[in-house]
Amino acid sequence: MYTLEELKSIVEKYVRDILQQHDLSVARNSTNKKIFNNIVDKCMDDLKNTELRDQFDNDNQVKYFVRQSILYLIVK
């Protein structure tokens, strides 16, 4: 099981990696930083739910959750 702080660290690192892969470096401009913040905020809001948070056993599950959260934000 992960603490909220550990999950935030994993989420932020993974979101930075994903954005970098799509030429959306967070350091480049405020628009990319806003995209980063929206994704991280959505993930962390959902992860406040203890039942959900307790389901994660490894980093890959957290990364899958992040990808699903991004898809949710796209179709929302």
Side-chain angles (χ1 to χ4, degrees):
M1 290 194 316
Y2 293 99
T3 66
L4 204 53
E5 294 79 26
E6 291 171 328
L7 285 169
K8 185 171 184 175
S9 175
I10 295 168
V11 168
E12 286 179 341
K13 181 180 180 332
Y14 189 58
V15 171
R16 283 182 198 279
D17 290 346
I18 289 175
L19 292 176
Q20 182 70 38
Q21 291 171 6
H22 294 281
D23 199 29
L24 295 168
S25 173
V26 175
R28 180 175 296 150
N29 58 44
S30 62
T31 302
N32 294 354
K33 181 69 173 173
K34 188 175 180 179
I35 293 168
F36 170 83
N37 287 335
N38 285 343
I39 296 169
V40 172
D41 290 347
K42 167 68 175 135
C43 291
M44 296 315 296
D45 283 345
D46 290 347
L47 290 171
K48 289 178 184 174
N49 179 335
T50 308
E51 291 178 14
L52 174 63
R53 193 168 59 231
D54 290 344
Q55 292 181 16
F56 298 118
D57 295 325
N58 60 59
D59 288 3
N60 286 334
Q61 290 175 324
V62 177
K63 290 175 180 179
Y64 180 81
F65 168 76
V66 170
R67 290 191 305 272
Q68 294 302 308
S69 296
I70 291 170
L71 288 173
Y72 170 80
L73 289 170
I74 291 170
V75 297
K76 176 180 142 183

